[in-house]
Amino acid sequence: INAAVRELSSCPYAQDNFTAILDRIQALIDRLNLDNYANLEQWVGELDGRLEQVLTMRLSRAIHAWVAEFDRAPPAVGDDSDTADALLANSSGPSRKHHRNQAPASSSTKDVDADDEVTPQIRTLVHELRIRNQVMYLDPPLENARASWIQQLHAWLAAICQQRRPQAARYELVANADADDLEYDNLVLEYDPGHRVTSATTVGNRSLVSSSYKDLLSRLPSNSLFEAYRSIEARTTQAASYVAIWLQYQALWDLQSDYVLQFLGDDLTRWQAMLLEIKRARSTFDNSETAKYIGAHCIVDYEQVQAKVNAKYDNWQREILNRFGSRLGSAMRDTCQAIASARHELETHSAESSTTSEVVTFITFVQELKRKCPGWQRDVEDVFRGGQRVLEKQRFQFPTDWMYLDQVEG
C-alpha cells in the first residue's frame, strides 16, 4: 500500500493510471477486511488522509499545467496569422464546416518524470465571421468557446475528482448502497465568477462527498482553481474585443449617406479627420491574412467577410473622399475669390484722400481686413494644405478646374 501511495504521487496524470492504483489499494484493503483485521476503518481513514494530501498536490499541479498550456503564446511559425491560416487550410475544402471547433489539439500527451505533469490536450476552436442578409455574425458564438474550455478543464480535473475513496468495508457498503452513493459518478463542477471557494464553503456532511475526491477542489492552495477560471474569462474577453472590431463594420451596411453628411456638416477639419480615421481602420481587414489567433486555442476566421467588408469600405471611402474634395474645392475657390476681391478693393483706396469720409472708410476697411486675415491664414495653412495633402495621398482625381493651394497662396 505504501508503494502504491508513492506511485500515486509520481505516475503520469491520467484517469486510468489513478484508477488502477486506487483499485490496487482497495483490493489490498479488501483482503485485510476479509482477514478480519481490527481497527481497519480507523486505519483506512488515516490512509485516506494521506491519499488526500497526495491527490491535492497532484490536482494543484494539474491546474497549473492546464493554465500554463491555456495561456501560452500561439505557435511561433512565421506570425500568428500565418499559423492560423495553415491550421485552417488543413481543415478546408468540402468538409471544412464539419471540422469547425474540432481543430487538432495543440499539444501532445507524453510521459514525463516524477516532477512533471502530462501536458493537457486543449482543442483549438475555430469561429467563423459570416454575413447573411447583410447581417454580420460569428458562428459559433464565443459562448461556445467559453463553455468548451470550462468543460475541458472539468474533464482534466475529473481524472482525480472522479476517483473513489478507499472503503474499509466495501462489501457492506455495496449491499447498503443508495442513490447518494451514486451521486458523483459523473463529475459536474459549478462555477460562479462572483463566489470564492474557501474551506468554509466545504460541504459539512462528509458522508455526502465521501465516495469521491470532488471536495479536494475546495482545499487547493492559493485558490488556484479560480486562476484557471480567470484565464478562461480573460481569453473570452480578449476574443470578444477582437470580434467586436469586426462587428463594427456592420455599420457599413446600416449607415445612410444623408446621416453621414449631416454628422460631418460643413466643418472641413472634421471631414479630414474622418478620412484619416477611415484609412487607419483598414488595417484590420486590408491584409493578406484570413484568420487571427486569440491565444493558442482560439481562431477567428474572417475569410468569408473580408472581401465583402473591403468592397463596402472602398465604396464608402470613395464617396466620402469625393464629397470632401468637392467641398474643399468650393471652399478654396470662395476663399481665393474673397482674398482677390479684398485686395482689389484695397488697391482702389488711398490713405491720402482729400475728404474725411474717405479716410474713415479706408481705415474701417483696413481694420476689417485685419480681422479677416487670421481666419484666411488659418484656412490656408491648416485646412486647405492638409486637405489637399489628404486628397493627394488617397489618389483623388482632381478636376481640370481645380484651384490648387499655390494659386490661393499667390
Side-chain angles (χ1 to χ4, degrees), residues 6 37 79 83 91 93 95 102 162 209 247 250 266 321 338 365 368 375 389:
R6 288 193 297 270
Y37 275 76
D79 59 28
T83 306
S91 59
S95 61
Q102 296 180 7
Q162 270 191 335
V209 296
L247 296 182
Q250 177 67 44
D266 296 326
L321 183 66
F365 182 68
E368 184 180 354
R389 187 181 300 114

Side-chain angles (χ1 to χ4, degrees), residues 268-269 272 328 331-332 335 339 372-387 405 408:
L268 294 178
T269 305
Q272 182 177 338
L328 181 63
M332 293 174 69
T335 301
I339 295 174
K372 291 181 179 179
C373 280
W376 288 337
Q377 184 177 3
R378 182 174 59 255
D379 289 342
V380 172
E381 295 296 330
D382 298 338
V383 180
F384 299 160
R385 188 182 304 278
L405 183 63
V408 179

Side-chain angles (χ1 to χ4, degrees), residues 161-189:
C161 295
Q162 270 191 335
Q163 300 300 327
R164 293 283 186 174
R165 294 175 178 270
Q167 304 292 337
R170 183 167 62 160
Y171 298 113
E172 299 174 11
L173 289 175
V174 170
N176 298 322
D178 55 20
D180 290 337
D181 294 318
L182 303 177
E183 181 179 357
Y184 297 99
D185 281 349
N186 295 317
L187 176 65
V188 177
L189 304 183

Side-chain angles (χ1 to χ4, degrees), residues 338-339 341-343 345-346 349 359-376:
I339 295 174
S341 176
R343 177 181 176 180
E345 186 175 352
L346 180 62
H349 288 278
V359 173
V360 171
T361 303
F362 173 73
I363 294 175
T364 302
F365 182 68
V366 171
Q367 293 298 325
E368 184 180 354
L369 291 182
K370 285 184 178 180
R371 289 194 299 271
K372 291 181 179 179
C373 280
W376 288 337

Side-chain angles (χ1 to χ4, degrees), residues 287-298:
N287 51 60
S288 60
E289 304 157 3
T290 61
K292 171 71 175 178
Y293 253 114
I294 307 297
H297 305 286
C298 180

